[in-house]
Each structure stands twice: as C-alpha cells, then as structure tokens.
Coordinates of all heavy atoms in Angstrom, one line a residue:
I1 N 0.8 -1.2 0.0 CA 0.0 0.0 0.0 C 0.9 1.3 0.0 O 0.6 2.2 -0.7 CB -1.0 0.0 1.2 CG1 -1.9 -1.2 1.2 CG2 -1.7 1.3 1.3 CD1 -2.7 -1.3 -0.1
M2 N 1.9 1.2 0.8 CA 2.8 2.4 0.8 C 3.5 2.6 -0.5 O 3.6 3.7 -1.0 CB 3.9 2.2 1.9 CG 3.4 2.1 3.3 SD 3.0 3.7 4.1 CE 4.6 4.5 4.1
D3 N 4.0 1.5 -1.1 CA 4.7 1.7 -2.4 C 3.8 2.1 -3.6 O 4.2 2.7 -4.5 CB 5.3 0.3 -2.8 CG 6.5 0.0 -1.9 OD1 7.0 0.8 -1.2 OD2 6.9 -1.2 -1.9
N4 N 2.5 1.7 -3.5 CA 1.6 2.0 -4.6 C 0.5 3.1 -4.3 O -0.4 3.2 -5.1 CB 0.9 0.7 -5.0 CG 1.9 -0.4 -5.5 OD1 2.6 -0.1 -6.5 ND2 1.9 -1.5 -4.9
S5 N 0.7 3.8 -3.3 CA -0.3 4.8 -2.9 C -0.3 6.0 -3.9 O -1.3 6.6 -4.2 CB -0.1 5.3 -1.5 OG 1.1 6.0 -1.4
G6 N 0.9 6.4 -4.3 CA 1.0 7.5 -5.2 C 0.7 8.8 -4.5 O 0.4 9.8 -5.2
C7 N 0.6 8.8 -3.2 CA 0.2 10.0 -2.5 C 1.3 10.6 -1.7 O 2.0 9.9 -1.0 CB -0.9 9.7 -1.5 SG -2.5 9.2 -2.2
F8 N 1.5 11.9 -1.8 CA 2.3 12.6 -0.9 C 1.9 14.0 -0.9 O 1.8 14.7 -2.0 CB 3.8 12.5 -1.2 CG 4.6 13.4 -0.2 CD1 4.9 12.9 1.0 CD2 5.1 14.6 -0.6 CE1 5.6 13.7 1.9 CE2 5.8 15.5 0.3 CZ 6.0 15.0 1.6
M9 N 1.5 14.5 0.2 CA 1.1 15.9 0.4 C 2.0 16.6 1.4 O 2.1 16.1 2.5 CB -0.3 16.0 0.8 CG -1.3 15.5 -0.3 SD -3.0 15.7 0.4 CE -3.7 14.4 -0.6
E10 N 2.6 17.7 1.1 CA 3.5 18.3 2.1 C 2.7 18.9 3.2 O 3.2 18.8 4.4 CB 4.3 19.4 1.4 CG 5.4 19.9 2.3 CD 6.6 20.5 1.5 OE1 6.8 20.1 0.3 OE2 7.2 21.4 2.0
N11 N 1.6 19.5 3.0 CA 0.8 20.1 4.1 C -0.6 19.7 3.9 O -1.5 20.6 3.6 CB 1.0 21.7 4.1 CG 2.4 22.1 4.4 OD1 2.9 21.7 5.4 ND2 3.0 22.9 3.5
P12 N -1.0 18.5 4.2 CA -2.4 18.1 4.0 C -3.3 18.7 5.0 O -3.0 19.0 6.2 CB -2.3 16.5 4.2 CG -1.1 16.4 5.1 CD -0.2 17.4 4.8
T13 N -4.5 18.9 4.6 CA -5.6 19.4 5.5 C -6.2 18.2 6.2 O -6.0 17.0 5.8 CB -6.7 20.1 4.7 OG1 -7.3 19.2 3.8 CG2 -6.1 21.3 3.9
L14 N -7.0 18.4 7.1 CA -7.8 17.3 7.8 C -8.6 16.6 6.8 O -8.7 15.4 6.8 CB -8.6 17.9 8.9 CG -9.5 16.8 9.7 CD1 -8.6 15.7 10.2 CD2 -10.3 17.5 10.7
E15 N -9.2 17.3 5.9 CA -10.1 16.7 4.8 C -9.2 15.8 4.0 O -9.6 14.7 3.6 CB -10.7 17.7 4.0 CG -11.6 17.2 2.9 CD -12.3 18.2 2.1 OE1 -12.9 19.2 2.7 OE2 -12.3 18.1 0.9
D16 N -8.0 16.2 3.6 CA -7.1 15.4 2.8 C -6.7 14.1 3.6 O -6.7 13.0 3.0 CB -5.8 16.2 2.5 CG -6.0 17.3 1.6 OD1 -6.9 17.3 0.8 OD2 -5.2 18.3 1.7
L17 N -6.4 14.2 4.9 CA -6.1 13.1 5.7 C -7.2 12.1 5.8 O -7.0 10.9 5.7 CB -5.6 13.5 7.0 CG -4.3 14.3 7.1 CD1 -4.0 14.8 8.5 CD2 -3.1 13.4 6.6
L18 N -8.4 12.6 6.0 CA -9.6 11.7 6.1 C -9.8 11.0 4.8 O -10.1 9.8 4.8 CB -10.8 12.5 6.6 CG -10.7 13.0 8.0 CD1 -11.9 13.9 8.3 CD2 -10.6 11.9 9.0
K19 N -9.7 11.7 3.7 CA -9.9 11.1 2.4 C -8.8 10.0 2.1 O -9.2 8.9 1.6 CB -9.9 12.2 1.3 CG -10.1 11.6 -0.1 CD -10.1 12.7 -1.1 CE -10.3 12.1 -2.5 NZ -10.1 13.1 -3.6
T20 N -7.6 10.3 2.4 CA -6.5 9.4 2.2 C -6.7 8.2 3.0 O -6.5 7.0 2.6 CB -5.1 10.1 2.5 OG1 -5.0 11.2 1.6 CG2 -4.0 9.1 2.3
D21 N -7.0 8.4 4.3 CA -7.3 7.2 5.2 C -8.3 6.3 4.6 O -8.1 5.1 4.5 CB -7.7 7.7 6.6 CG -8.0 6.6 7.5 OD1 -7.0 6.1 8.1 OD2 -9.2 6.3 7.7
S22 N -9.4 6.9 4.2 CA -10.5 6.1 3.6 C -10.1 5.3 2.4 O -10.4 4.1 2.2 CB -11.7 7.0 3.3 OG -12.8 6.2 2.7
E23 N -9.4 6.0 1.5 CA -9.0 5.4 0.2 C -8.0 4.3 0.5 O -8.0 3.2 -0.2 CB -8.3 6.4 -0.7 CG -9.3 7.4 -1.3 CD -8.7 8.6 -2.0 OE1 -7.5 8.7 -2.1 OE2 -9.5 9.4 -2.6
M24 N -7.1 4.5 1.4 CA -6.0 3.4 1.7 C -6.6 2.2 2.4 O -6.2 1.1 2.2 CB -4.9 4.0 2.5 CG -4.1 5.1 1.8 SD -3.5 4.6 0.2 CE -4.3 5.7 -0.9
R25 N -7.7 2.4 3.2 CA -8.4 1.3 3.8 C -9.0 0.4 2.7 O -9.0 -0.8 2.8 CB -9.4 1.8 4.8 CG -8.7 2.3 6.1 CD -9.7 2.9 7.0 NE -9.0 3.6 8.2 CZ -8.7 3.0 9.3 NH1 -9.1 1.7 9.5 NH2 -8.1 3.6 10.3
I26 N -9.6 1.1 1.7 CA -10.2 0.4 0.6 C -9.2 -0.4 -0.1 O -9.4 -1.6 -0.5 CB -11.0 1.3 -0.3 CG1 -12.2 1.9 0.5 CG2 -11.4 0.7 -1.6 CD1 -12.9 3.1 -0.2
K27 N -8.0 0.2 -0.4 CA -7.0 -0.5 -1.2 C -6.4 -1.6 -0.4 O -6.1 -2.7 -0.9 CB -5.8 0.5 -1.5 CG -6.2 1.5 -2.6 CD -5.0 2.4 -3.0 CE -5.4 3.4 -4.0 NZ -4.7 3.4 -5.2
A28 N -6.3 -1.5 0.9 CA -5.8 -2.6 1.8 C -6.8 -3.7 1.7 O -6.4 -4.9 1.6 CB -5.6 -2.1 3.2
Q29 N -8.0 -3.4 1.8 CA -9.0 -4.5 1.8 C -9.0 -5.2 0.4 O -9.2 -6.4 0.3 CB -10.4 -4.0 2.1 CG -11.5 -5.0 2.3 CD -11.1 -6.0 3.4 OE1 -10.9 -5.6 4.5 NE2 -11.1 -7.3 3.0
E30 N -8.8 -4.4 -0.7 CA -8.7 -5.0 -2.0 C -7.5 -6.0 -2.1 O -7.6 -7.0 -2.7 CB -8.7 -3.9 -3.1 CG -10.0 -3.2 -3.3 CD -9.8 -2.0 -4.1 OE1 -8.7 -1.6 -4.5 OE2 -10.9 -1.4 -4.5
W31 N -6.4 -5.6 -1.5 CA -5.2 -6.4 -1.5 C -5.5 -7.7 -0.8 O -5.2 -8.8 -1.3 CB -4.1 -5.7 -0.7 CG -2.8 -6.3 -0.8 CD1 -1.8 -6.2 -1.7 CD2 -2.2 -7.3 0.1 NE1 -0.7 -7.0 -1.4 CE2 -0.9 -7.7 -0.3 CE3 -2.8 -8.0 1.3 CZ2 -0.2 -8.6 0.4 CZ3 -2.0 -8.9 1.9 CH2 -0.7 -9.2 1.5
I32 N -6.2 -7.7 0.3 CA -6.6 -8.9 1.1 C -7.5 -9.7 0.3 O -7.3 -10.9 0.1 CB -7.2 -8.5 2.4 CG1 -6.1 -7.9 3.3 CG2 -7.8 -9.7 3.1 CD1 -6.7 -7.1 4.5
D33 N -8.5 -9.1 -0.3 CA -9.5 -9.8 -1.1 C -8.8 -10.5 -2.3 O -9.1 -11.7 -2.6 CB -10.6 -8.9 -1.6 CG -11.5 -8.4 -0.5 OD1 -11.5 -9.0 0.6 OD2 -12.2 -7.4 -0.8
N34 N -7.9 -9.9 -3.0 CA -7.1 -10.4 -4.1 C -6.2 -11.6 -3.7 O -6.1 -12.6 -4.4 CB -6.3 -9.4 -4.8 CG -7.2 -8.4 -5.6 OD1 -8.3 -8.8 -6.0 ND2 -6.7 -7.2 -5.8

C-alpha cells in the first residue's frame, strides 16, 4: 500500500487526511481480497 499509494502531500488538510485514510483502507481491503 505504501509503495503503490502515489500520495504525498506536504501540508495536508484534515479533509485530505480523512480522504487518504478512507482510500487506503479500501486499497488494503482489496489487497486482502485479491
């Protein structure tokens, strides 16, 4: 997930962090499902 996230924000807002958290949880679950 870290290698394939494609995300880096120097100064993320709370909204950015919440969105990233949600998206990465989905990707992690997809990894498990696959």
Side-chain angles (χ1 to χ4, degrees):
I1 298 304
M2 296 281 297
D3 290 344
N4 295 303
S5 68
C7 293
F8 177 77
M9 295 178 206
E10 193 158 327
N11 295 306
T13 64
L14 177 58
E15 183 178 312
D16 293 331
L17 293 172
L18 294 172
K19 181 179 177 189
T20 298
D21 179 81
S22 178
E23 290 173 357
M24 295 307 117
R25 288 173 187 270
I26 291 168
K27 287 183 184 237
Q29 188 59 56
E30 289 171 351
W31 187 93
I32 292 164
D33 293 345
N34 287 335

